Amino acid sequence: MSTCPPEHPEQDHTEDHTPRPGAPWSPDEVETLKTLYPSAPWEDLLEALPGRSPGAIGCKAKDLKIKRETYHSLPGSHTRHRASPGGSYEE
């Protein structure tokens, strides 16, 4: 069962193709997440998934059972985060 807020199919993408809050994830976004999330720095994830917040990215990754393999600081954070063996985040 997902812990993420429900997606709203009636909400689509803006004219610049960034998703509106709560918009369903496109197949391309999911593929990008699967490719980058395990090892890419947060800055790369946010650049590759415009319009998706760190929380939305982490929530979707958790739903897809994708875990981080390396430590990376969240943008604007001085704390380094990684996925623990149980899938939750540790500081």
Side-chain angles (χ1 to χ4, degrees), residues 18-43:
T18 58
R20 296 180 192 273
W25 284 66
S26 71
D28 286 342
E29 288 178 306
V30 171
E31 190 58 38
T32 297
L33 185 66
K34 288 178 179 179
T35 301
L36 296 180
Y37 190 80
S39 60
W42 275 100
E43 291 80 9

Side-chain angles (χ1 to χ4, degrees), residues 18-72:
T18 58
R20 296 180 192 273
W25 284 66
S26 71
D28 286 342
E29 288 178 306
V30 171
E31 190 58 38
T32 297
L33 185 66
K34 288 178 179 179
T35 301
L36 296 180
Y37 190 80
S39 60
W42 275 100
E43 291 80 9
D44 293 354
L45 283 164
L46 294 170
E47 184 177 320
L49 297 165
R52 299 294 183 183
S53 69
I57 292 169
C59 199
K60 187 66 172 181
K62 186 174 180 181
D63 279 353
L64 296 171
K65 297 179 178 28
I66 305 168
K67 296 181 182 177
R68 300 282 281 166
E69 296 171 354
T70 57
Y71 286 94
H72 292 287

